[in-house]
Amino acid sequence: MENSYRFFENKDCKYFPCHKGLADFNCLFCYCPMYRLEHCPGNPRYFEKNGRRIKDCSGCTFPHDPEHYDTIMQILREA
């Protein structure tokens, strides 16, 4: 894919790719804008630590899949 307003791939990042399993890896949402949402379309895990519920998105590739751009933008409009 070519870099655009919908897609950006930063192969120079020392963490690239931060998740495995995608042919086209979108770095546009490097920090997931849906992290703060209780119910997001990704697949986070939750665990308890020191009495707090922690959201772990380390296994989630949802924001990095170029096909999910429109879905993410719609969720952000509604949030």
Side-chain angles (χ1 to χ4, degrees):
M1 277 188 104
E2 187 174 316
N3 286 342
S4 70
Y5 74 96
R6 300 173 61 91
F7 178 83
F8 174 72
E9 188 172 71
N10 184 6
K11 291 184 178 179
D12 292 330
C13 177
K14 69 179 183 176
Y15 302 108
F16 182 85
C18 59
H19 300 277
K20 307 290 186 219
L22 293 175
D24 290 318
F25 194 91
N26 194 356
C27 300
L28 187 64
F29 300 112
C30 175
Y31 176 79
C32 183
M34 299 173 293
Y35 179 78
R36 63 184 177 81
L37 302 177
E38 178 69 24
H39 302 288
C40 65
N43 58 343
R45 294 180 320 129
Y46 292 90
F47 63 93
E48 296 286 329
K49 183 173 183 178
N50 298 328
R52 295 180 48 199
R53 187 171 184 225
I54 307 293
K55 186 176 186 178
D56 175 10
C57 302
S58 61
C60 180
T61 60
F62 189 88
H64 300 296
D65 185 332
E67 300 299 318
H68 295 152
Y69 176 84
D70 291 323
T71 302
I72 293 169
M73 294 309 292
Q74 183 63 37
I75 289 169
L76 295 177
R77 279 188 214 98
E78 294 171 356

Coordinates of all heavy atoms in Angstrom, one line a residue:
M1 N 0.8 -1.2 0.0 CA 0.0 0.0 0.0 C 0.9 1.2 0.0 O 2.0 1.2 0.5 CB -0.9 0.0 1.2 CG -2.1 -0.8 1.1 SD -3.2 -0.5 2.6 CE -4.4 0.5 1.8
E2 N 0.3 2.3 -0.5 CA 1.0 3.6 -0.6 C 0.6 4.5 0.6 O -0.5 4.5 1.0 CB 0.7 4.3 -1.9 CG 1.5 5.5 -2.2 CD 1.2 6.1 -3.5 OE1 1.2 5.3 -4.5 OE2 1.1 7.3 -3.6
N3 N 1.6 5.2 1.2 CA 1.2 6.1 2.3 C 0.2 7.1 1.8 O 0.3 7.6 0.7 CB 2.5 6.8 2.8 CG 3.4 5.8 3.6 OD1 2.9 4.8 4.1 ND2 4.6 6.2 3.8
S4 N -0.7 7.4 2.7 CA -1.8 8.4 2.4 C -2.4 8.9 3.7 O -1.9 8.5 4.8 CB -2.9 7.8 1.5 OG -3.6 6.8 2.3
Y5 N -3.5 9.6 3.7 CA -4.1 10.0 4.9 C -4.8 8.9 5.6 O -5.1 8.9 6.8 CB -5.2 11.1 4.6 CG -6.4 10.6 4.0 CD1 -7.6 10.3 4.7 CD2 -6.5 10.5 2.6 CE1 -8.7 9.8 4.1 CE2 -7.7 10.0 2.0 CZ -8.8 9.7 2.8 OH -9.9 9.2 2.2
R6 N -5.0 7.7 4.9 CA -5.6 6.6 5.5 C -4.6 5.5 5.9 O -5.0 4.5 6.6 CB -6.6 5.9 4.5 CG -7.7 6.8 4.0 CD -8.4 6.1 2.9 NE -9.1 4.9 3.3 CZ -10.3 4.8 3.8 NH1 -11.0 5.8 3.9 NH2 -10.7 3.6 4.1
F7 N -3.4 5.6 5.5 CA -2.4 4.6 5.7 C -1.0 5.2 5.8 O -0.6 6.0 5.0 CB -2.4 3.6 4.5 CG -1.4 2.5 4.7 CD1 -1.7 1.3 5.4 CD2 -0.2 2.5 4.1 CE1 -0.8 0.3 5.6 CE2 0.7 1.5 4.2 CZ 0.4 0.4 4.9
F8 N -0.3 4.7 6.8 CA 1.1 5.1 7.0 C 1.9 3.9 7.5 O 1.5 3.3 8.6 CB 1.2 6.3 7.9 CG 2.7 6.7 8.2 CD1 3.5 7.3 7.2 CD2 3.2 6.4 9.4 CE1 4.8 7.6 7.5 CE2 4.5 6.7 9.7 CZ 5.3 7.3 8.7
E9 N 3.0 3.5 6.9 CA 3.8 2.4 7.3 C 5.2 3.0 7.6 O 5.9 3.5 6.7 CB 3.9 1.3 6.3 CG 4.5 0.1 6.8 CD 4.4 -1.0 5.7 OE1 5.1 -0.9 4.7 OE2 3.6 -2.0 6.0
N10 N 5.6 2.9 8.9 CA 6.9 3.4 9.3 C 7.9 2.3 9.5 O 8.1 1.8 10.7 CB 6.7 4.2 10.6 CG 8.0 4.9 11.0 OD1 9.0 4.9 10.3 ND2 8.0 5.5 12.2
K11 N 8.5 1.8 8.5 CA 9.5 0.7 8.6 C 10.7 1.1 9.3 O 11.5 0.3 9.7 CB 9.8 0.2 7.2 CG 8.6 -0.5 6.6 CD 8.9 -1.2 5.3 CE 7.7 -1.9 4.8 NZ 8.0 -2.6 3.5
D12 N 11.0 2.4 9.5 CA 12.1 2.9 10.2 C 12.0 2.9 11.7 O 12.9 3.1 12.4 CB 12.5 4.3 9.7 CG 13.0 4.4 8.3 OD1 13.6 3.4 7.8 OD2 12.8 5.4 7.6
C13 N 10.8 2.7 12.2 CA 10.5 2.6 13.6 C 11.2 1.4 14.2 O 11.2 0.3 13.7 CB 9.0 2.5 13.9 SG 8.6 2.4 15.6
K14 N 11.9 1.6 15.4 CA 12.6 0.5 16.0 C 11.7 -0.6 16.5 O 12.1 -1.7 16.8 CB 13.5 1.0 17.1 CG 12.8 1.5 18.3 CD 13.9 2.0 19.3 CE 13.2 2.4 20.6 NZ 14.2 2.7 21.7
Y15 N 10.4 -0.3 16.6 CA 9.4 -1.3 17.1 C 8.7 -2.0 15.9 O 7.9 -2.9 16.1 CB 8.4 -0.7 18.0 CG 9.1 -0.1 19.2 CD1 9.1 1.3 19.4 CD2 9.7 -0.9 20.2 CE1 9.7 1.9 20.5 CE2 10.3 -0.3 21.3 CZ 10.3 1.1 21.4 OH 10.9 1.6 22.5
F16 N 8.9 -1.6 14.7 CA 8.2 -2.1 13.5 C 8.6 -3.5 13.2 O 9.8 -3.8 13.1 CB 8.4 -1.2 12.3 CG 7.6 -1.7 11.1 CD1 6.3 -1.3 10.9 CD2 8.2 -2.5 10.2 CE1 5.6 -1.7 9.8 CE2 7.5 -3.0 9.1 CZ 6.2 -2.5 8.9
P17 N 7.6 -4.4 13.0 CA 6.2 -4.2 13.3 C 6.0 -4.6 14.8 O 6.6 -5.5 15.3 CB 5.5 -5.2 12.4 CG 6.5 -6.3 12.3 CD 7.9 -5.7 12.3
C18 N 5.2 -3.8 15.5 CA 4.9 -4.1 16.9 C 4.0 -5.2 17.1 O 3.9 -5.7 18.2 CB 4.4 -2.8 17.6 SG 2.9 -2.2 16.9
H19 N 3.3 -5.7 16.1 CA 2.5 -6.9 16.1 C 2.8 -7.7 14.9 O 3.1 -7.1 13.8 CB 1.0 -6.5 16.1 CG 0.5 -5.6 17.2 ND1 0.2 -6.1 18.5 CD2 0.4 -4.3 17.3 CE1 -0.1 -5.2 19.3 NE2 -0.1 -4.0 18.6
K20 N 2.6 -9.0 15.0 CA 2.9 -9.9 13.8 C 1.6 -10.3 13.2 O 0.5 -10.2 13.8 CB 3.6 -11.1 14.3 CG 4.8 -10.9 15.2 CD 5.9 -10.3 14.3 CE 7.2 -10.2 15.2 NZ 8.0 -9.1 14.9
G21 N 1.7 -10.7 11.9 CA 0.5 -11.3 11.3 C -0.2 -10.5 10.2 O -1.2 -11.0 9.6
L22 N 0.2 -9.3 9.9 CA -0.4 -8.5 8.9 C 0.5 -8.2 7.7 O 1.7 -7.9 7.9 CB -0.9 -7.1 9.4 CG -2.0 -7.1 10.5 CD1 -2.2 -5.7 11.0 CD2 -3.2 -7.6 9.9
A23 N 0.0 -8.4 6.5 CA 0.9 -8.1 5.3 C 1.1 -6.6 5.1 O 2.2 -6.2 4.9 CB 0.2 -8.7 4.1
D24 N 0.0 -5.8 5.2 CA 0.1 -4.4 5.2 C -0.2 -3.9 6.6 O -1.2 -4.1 7.2 CB -1.0 -3.8 4.2 CG -0.7 -4.1 2.8 OD1 0.4 -4.0 2.4 OD2 -1.7 -4.4 2.1
F25 N 0.8 -3.2 7.2 CA 0.8 -2.8 8.6 C 0.6 -1.3 8.7 O 1.5 -0.6 8.3 CB 2.1 -3.2 9.3 CG 2.0 -3.2 10.7 CD1 1.6 -4.3 11.5 CD2 2.3 -2.0 11.4 CE1 1.5 -4.2 12.9 CE2 2.2 -2.0 12.8 CZ 1.8 -3.1 13.5
N26 N -0.6 -0.9 9.1 CA -0.9 0.6 9.2 C -0.4 1.1 10.6 O -0.9 0.7 11.6 CB -2.4 0.8 9.1 CG -2.7 2.2 8.8 OD1 -1.8 3.1 8.8 ND2 -4.0 2.5 8.6
C27 N 0.6 2.0 10.5 CA 1.1 2.7 11.7 C 0.4 4.0 12.1 O 0.7 4.6 13.0 CB 2.6 3.0 11.5 SG 3.6 1.5 11.2
L28 N -0.6 4.3 11.3 CA -1.4 5.6 11.5 C -1.9 5.6 12.9 O -1.9 6.7 13.5 CB -2.5 5.7 10.5 CG -3.3 7.0 10.4 CD1 -2.4 8.1 10.0 CD2 -4.4 6.8 9.5
F29 N -2.4 4.5 13.4 CA -2.9 4.5 14.8 C -2.0 3.8 15.7 O -2.3 2.8 16.3 CB -4.3 3.9 14.8 CG -5.3 4.6 14.0 CD1 -5.9 4.0 12.8 CD2 -5.8 5.8 14.3 CE1 -6.8 4.6 12.1 CE2 -6.7 6.5 13.6 CZ -7.2 5.9 12.4
C30 N -0.7 4.2 15.7 CA 0.3 3.6 16.5 C -0.1 3.5 17.9 O -0.1 2.4 18.5 CB 1.6 4.4 16.4 SG 2.9 3.8 17.5
Y31 N -0.6 4.5 18.5 CA -1.3 4.5 19.8 C -2.8 4.3 19.6 O -3.4 5.2 18.9 CB -1.0 5.7 20.7 CG -1.7 5.7 22.0 CD1 -1.2 4.9 23.1 CD2 -2.9 6.4 22.2 CE1 -1.9 4.9 24.3 CE2 -3.6 6.3 23.3 CZ -3.1 5.6 24.4 OH -3.8 5.5 25.6
C32 N -3.4 3.3 19.9 CA -4.8 3.0 19.6 C -5.7 4.1 20.2 O -5.7 4.2 21.4 CB -5.2 1.6 20.1 SG -6.9 1.2 19.6
P33 N -6.5 4.8 19.3 CA -7.4 5.8 19.8 C -8.6 5.2 20.6 O -9.4 5.9 21.2 CB -7.8 6.5 18.6 CG -7.7 5.5 17.5 CD -6.5 4.7 17.9
M34 N -8.7 3.9 20.5 CA -9.9 3.2 21.2 C -9.5 2.6 22.5 O -10.3 2.0 23.2 CB -10.5 2.2 20.2 CG -11.0 2.8 19.0 SD -11.5 1.5 17.8 CE -9.9 0.7 17.4
Y35 N -8.2 2.8 22.9 CA -7.8 2.2 24.2 C -8.6 2.6 25.4 O -8.9 1.7 26.2 CB -6.3 2.6 24.4 CG -5.8 2.0 25.7 CD1 -5.4 0.7 25.8 CD2 -5.7 2.8 26.9 CE1 -4.9 0.1 27.0 CE2 -5.3 2.2 28.1 CZ -4.8 0.9 28.1 OH -4.4 0.4 29.3
R36 N -9.1 3.8 25.4 CA -9.9 4.3 26.5 C -11.3 3.7 26.6 O -12.0 3.9 27.5 CB -9.9 5.8 26.5 CG -10.6 6.4 25.3 CD -10.6 7.9 25.3 NE -11.2 8.4 24.1 CZ -12.5 8.5 23.9 NH1 -13.3 8.2 24.8 NH2 -12.9 9.0 22.7
L37 N -11.7 3.1 25.4 CA -13.1 2.6 25.4 C -13.2 1.3 26.0 O -12.4 0.4 25.9 CB -13.5 2.5 23.9 CG -13.5 3.8 23.1 CD1 -13.9 3.5 21.6 CD2 -14.4 4.8 23.6
E38 N -14.3 1.1 26.8 CA -14.6 -0.2 27.5 C -14.8 -1.3 26.4 O -14.3 -2.4 26.6 CB -15.8 0.0 28.4 CG -16.1 -1.3 29.1 CD -15.1 -1.7 30.2 OE1 -14.4 -0.9 30.7 OE2 -15.1 -2.9 30.5
H39 N -15.6 -0.9 25.4 CA -16.0 -1.9 24.4 C -15.4 -1.4 23.1 O -15.9 -0.5 22.5 CB -17.5 -2.1 24.3 CG -18.1 -2.5 25.6 ND1 -17.9 -3.8 26.1 CD2 -18.8 -1.9 26.5 CE1 -18.5 -3.9 27.3 NE2 -19.1 -2.8 27.5
C40 N -14.4 -2.0 22.6 CA -13.8 -1.7 21.3 C -13.9 -2.9 20.4 O -14.1 -4.0 20.8 CB -12.3 -1.2 21.5 SG -11.2 -2.5 22.0
P41 N -13.7 -2.7 19.1 CA -13.9 -3.8 18.2 C -12.7 -4.7 18.1 O -12.7 -5.8 17.4 CB -14.1 -3.1 16.8 CG -13.4 -1.8 17.0 CD -13.6 -1.4 18.4
G42 N -11.6 -4.4 18.8 CA -10.4 -5.3 18.8 C -10.6 -6.4 19.8 O -11.7 -6.8 20.2
N43 N -9.5 -7.1 20.1 CA -9.6 -8.2 21.0 C -8.7 -8.1 22.2 O -7.7 -8.8 22.4 CB -9.3 -9.5 20.2 CG -7.9 -9.5 19.6 OD1 -7.3 -8.4 19.5 ND2 -7.4 -10.6 19.2
P44 N -8.9 -7.1 23.1 CA -8.1 -6.9 24.2 C -8.3 -8.0 25.3 O -9.4 -8.6 25.3 CB -8.5 -5.5 24.8 CG -9.9 -5.4 24.4 CD -10.0 -6.1 23.0
R45 N -7.3 -8.2 26.1 CA -7.4 -9.0 27.3 C -7.5 -8.1 28.5 O -6.9 -7.0 28.5 CB -6.2 -10.0 27.4 CG -6.1 -11.0 26.3 CD -4.9 -11.9 26.5 NE -3.7 -11.1 27.0 CZ -3.0 -11.5 28.1 NH1 -3.3 -12.6 28.7 NH2 -2.0 -10.8 28.4
Y46 N -8.2 -8.5 29.5 CA -8.2 -7.8 30.8 C -7.7 -8.6 31.9 O -7.9 -9.8 31.9 CB -9.7 -7.4 31.1 CG -10.2 -6.4 30.1 CD1 -10.9 -6.8 29.0 CD2 -10.1 -5.0 30.4 CE1 -11.4 -5.9 28.1 CE2 -10.6 -4.1 29.5 CZ -11.3 -4.5 28.3 OH -11.8 -3.6 27.5
F47 N -6.9 -8.0 32.8 CA -6.4 -8.7 33.9 C -6.4 -7.8 35.1 O -6.5 -6.6 35.0 CB -5.1 -9.3 33.7 CG -4.0 -8.4 33.4 CD1 -3.2 -7.9 34.4 CD2 -3.7 -7.9 32.1 CE1 -2.2 -7.0 34.2 CE2 -2.7 -7.0 31.8 CZ -1.9 -6.5 32.9
E48 N -6.4 -8.3 36.3 CA -6.4 -7.6 37.5 C -4.9 -7.5 38.1 O -4.2 -8.4 38.0 CB -7.2 -8.2 38.6 CG -8.7 -8.3 38.3 CD -9.4 -7.0 38.4 OE1 -9.0 -6.1 39.2 OE2 -10.4 -6.7 37.6
K49 N -4.6 -6.3 38.5 CA -3.3 -6.1 39.1 C -3.4 -5.0 40.2 O -3.9 -3.9 39.9 CB -2.2 -5.7 38.1 CG -0.8 -5.5 38.7 CD 0.2 -5.3 37.6 CE 1.5 -5.2 38.3 NZ 2.6 -5.0 37.3
N50 N -3.0 -5.4 41.4 CA -3.1 -4.5 42.5 C -4.5 -3.9 42.7 O -4.7 -2.7 43.0 CB -2.1 -3.3 42.4 CG -0.7 -3.9 42.4 OD1 -0.4 -4.9 43.1 ND2 0.2 -3.2 41.7
G51 N -5.5 -4.7 42.4 CA -6.9 -4.2 42.6 C -7.4 -3.4 41.4 O -8.5 -2.9 41.5
R52 N -6.7 -3.3 40.4 CA -7.1 -2.5 39.2 C -7.3 -3.4 38.0 O -6.6 -4.3 37.8 CB -6.0 -1.4 38.9 CG -5.9 -0.4 40.0 CD -4.9 0.6 39.6 NE -5.0 1.2 38.3 CZ -4.1 1.8 37.6 NH1 -2.9 2.0 38.2 NH2 -4.3 2.2 36.4
R53 N -8.3 -3.1 37.2 CA -8.5 -3.8 35.9 C -7.6 -3.2 34.8 O -7.8 -2.0 34.6 CB -10.0 -3.7 35.6 CG -10.4 -4.6 34.4 CD -11.9 -4.6 34.2 NE -12.2 -5.5 33.2 CZ -13.1 -5.2 32.2 NH1 -13.7 -4.1 32.3 NH2 -13.4 -6.1 31.3
I54 N -6.8 -3.9 34.2 CA -5.9 -3.5 33.2 C -6.3 -4.0 31.8 O -6.5 -5.2 31.7 CB -4.4 -3.9 33.5 CG1 -4.0 -3.5 35.0 CG2 -3.4 -3.4 32.5 CD1 -3.9 -2.1 35.2
K55 N -6.3 -3.1 30.9 CA -6.6 -3.5 29.5 C -5.3 -3.8 28.8 O -4.4 -2.9 28.7 CB -7.4 -2.4 28.8 CG -7.8 -2.7 27.4 CD -8.7 -1.6 26.9 CE -9.3 -1.9 25.5 NZ -10.1 -0.8 25.1
D56 N -5.1 -5.0 28.2 CA -3.9 -5.4 27.5 C -4.2 -5.6 26.0 O -4.9 -6.5 25.7 CB -3.4 -6.7 28.1 CG -2.2 -7.2 27.4 OD1 -1.6 -6.5 26.5 OD2 -1.8 -8.4 27.7
C57 N -3.7 -4.7 25.2 CA -4.0 -4.8 23.8 C -2.8 -5.3 23.0 O -2.7 -5.2 21.8 CB -4.3 -3.4 23.3 SG -5.8 -2.7 24.1
S58 N -1.8 -5.9 23.7 CA -0.6 -6.3 23.0 C -0.8 -7.4 21.9 O 0.0 -7.5 21.0 CB 0.4 -6.8 24.0 OG -0.1 -7.9 24.7
G59 N -1.9 -8.1 22.0 CA -2.2 -9.1 21.0 C -3.2 -8.6 19.9 O -3.6 -9.4 19.1
C60 N -3.6 -7.4 20.0 CA -4.6 -6.9 19.1 C -4.0 -6.2 17.9 O -3.1 -5.3 18.0 CB -5.5 -5.9 19.8 SG -6.8 -5.1 18.8
T61 N -4.5 -6.5 16.7 CA -4.0 -5.9 15.5 C -5.1 -5.0 14.8 O -4.8 -4.5 13.7 CB -3.5 -6.9 14.4 OG1 -4.6 -7.8 14.1 CG2 -2.3 -7.7 15.0
F62 N -6.2 -4.9 15.4 CA -7.3 -4.2 14.8 C -7.0 -2.8 14.2 O -7.2 -2.5 13.1 CB -8.5 -4.1 15.7 CG -9.8 -3.6 15.1 CD1 -10.6 -4.4 14.5 CD2 -10.0 -2.2 15.0 CE1 -11.8 -4.0 13.8 CE2 -11.2 -1.7 14.4 CZ -12.1 -2.6 13.8
P63 N -6.3 -1.9 15.0 CA -6.1 -0.6 14.5 C -5.0 -0.6 13.4 O -4.8 0.4 12.7 CB -5.6 0.2 15.7 CG -5.1 -0.8 16.7 CD -5.9 -2.0 16.4
H64 N -4.2 -1.6 13.3 CA -3.1 -1.7 12.3 C -3.5 -2.3 11.0 O -2.8 -2.4 10.0 CB -2.0 -2.5 12.9 CG -1.4 -1.8 14.1 ND1 -0.9 -0.6 14.1 CD2 -1.4 -2.3 15.4 CE1 -0.5 -0.3 15.4 NE2 -0.8 -1.3 16.2
D65 N -4.8 -2.8 10.9 CA -5.3 -3.4 9.6 C -5.8 -2.2 8.8 O -6.8 -1.6 9.2 CB -6.4 -4.4 9.9 CG -6.9 -5.1 8.7 OD1 -6.8 -4.6 7.6 OD2 -7.3 -6.3 8.8
P66 N -5.3 -2.0 7.6 CA -5.7 -0.9 6.8 C -7.2 -0.9 6.5 O -7.8 0.1 6.3 CB -4.9 -1.0 5.5 CG -3.7 -1.8 5.9 CD -4.2 -2.7 7.0
E67 N -7.8 -2.1 6.4 CA -9.3 -2.2 6.1 C -10.1 -1.6 7.2 O -11.3 -1.5 7.0 CB -9.6 -3.7 5.9 CG -8.9 -4.3 4.7 CD -9.2 -3.6 3.4 OE1 -10.3 -3.3 3.2 OE2 -8.2 -3.4 2.6
H68 N -9.6 -1.4 8.4 CA -10.4 -0.9 9.6 C -10.4 0.6 9.7 O -11.0 1.1 10.7 CB -9.9 -1.6 10.8 CG -10.1 -3.1 10.9 ND1 -9.3 -3.9 11.6 CD2 -11.0 -3.8 10.2 CE1 -9.7 -5.1 11.4 NE2 -10.8 -5.1 10.6
Y69 N -9.8 1.3 8.8 CA -9.7 2.8 8.9 C -11.1 3.4 9.1 O -11.4 4.2 10.0 CB -9.0 3.4 7.7 CG -9.0 4.9 7.8 CD1 -8.1 5.6 8.5 CD2 -10.0 5.6 7.1 CE1 -8.1 7.0 8.5 CE2 -10.0 7.0 7.1 CZ -9.0 7.7 7.8 OH -9.1 9.1 7.9
D70 N -12.1 3.1 8.2 CA -13.4 3.7 8.2 C -14.1 3.3 9.5 O -14.8 4.2 10.1 CB -14.2 3.2 7.0 CG -13.7 3.8 5.7 OD1 -13.3 5.0 5.7 OD2 -13.7 3.1 4.7
T71 N -14.0 2.1 10.0 CA -14.6 1.7 11.3 C -14.1 2.5 12.4 O -14.9 3.0 13.3 CB -14.4 0.2 11.5 OG1 -14.9 -0.5 10.4 CG2 -15.0 -0.2 12.8
I72 N -12.8 2.7 12.5 CA -12.2 3.5 13.6 C -12.6 4.9 13.5 O -13.0 5.5 14.6 CB -10.6 3.4 13.5 CG1 -10.2 2.0 13.8 CG2 -10.0 4.4 14.4 CD1 -8.7 1.7 13.5
M73 N -12.7 5.5 12.3 CA -13.1 6.9 12.2 C -14.6 7.0 12.7 O -14.9 8.0 13.3 CB -12.9 7.4 10.8 CG -11.4 7.5 10.4 SD -10.4 8.4 11.5 CE -11.0 10.0 11.3
Q74 N -15.4 6.1 12.3 CA -16.8 6.1 12.8 C -16.9 6.0 14.3 O -17.7 6.8 14.9 CB -17.6 5.0 12.1 CG -19.1 5.0 12.4 CD -19.8 6.3 11.9 OE1 -19.5 6.8 10.8 NE2 -20.7 6.8 12.7
I75 N -16.2 5.1 14.9 CA -16.2 5.0 16.4 C -15.7 6.3 17.0 O -16.3 6.7 18.0 CB -15.3 3.8 16.8 CG1 -15.9 2.5 16.4 CG2 -15.0 3.9 18.3 CD1 -15.0 1.3 16.5
L76 N -14.7 6.9 16.5 CA -14.2 8.2 17.1 C -15.2 9.3 16.9 O -15.3 10.2 17.8 CB -12.9 8.6 16.4 CG -11.7 7.6 16.7 CD1 -10.5 8.1 16.0 CD2 -11.5 7.5 18.2
R77 N -16.0 9.3 15.8 CA -17.0 10.3 15.6 C -18.1 10.2 16.7 O -18.7 11.2 17.1 CB -17.6 10.2 14.2 CG -16.8 10.9 13.2 CD -17.6 10.9 11.8 NE -16.6 10.8 10.8 CZ -16.3 9.7 10.1 NH1 -16.9 8.6 10.4 NH2 -15.4 9.7 9.2
E78 N -18.4 9.0 17.0 CA -19.5 8.7 17.9 C -19.1 8.8 19.4 O -19.9 8.8 20.3 CB -20.1 7.3 17.7 CG -20.7 7.2 16.3 CD -21.1 5.8 15.9 OE1 -20.8 4.8 16.7 OE2 -21.7 5.6 14.8
A79 N -17.8 8.7 19.7 CA -17.3 8.7 21.1 C -17.4 10.1 21.7 O -17.4 11.1 21.2 CB -15.9 8.2 21.1

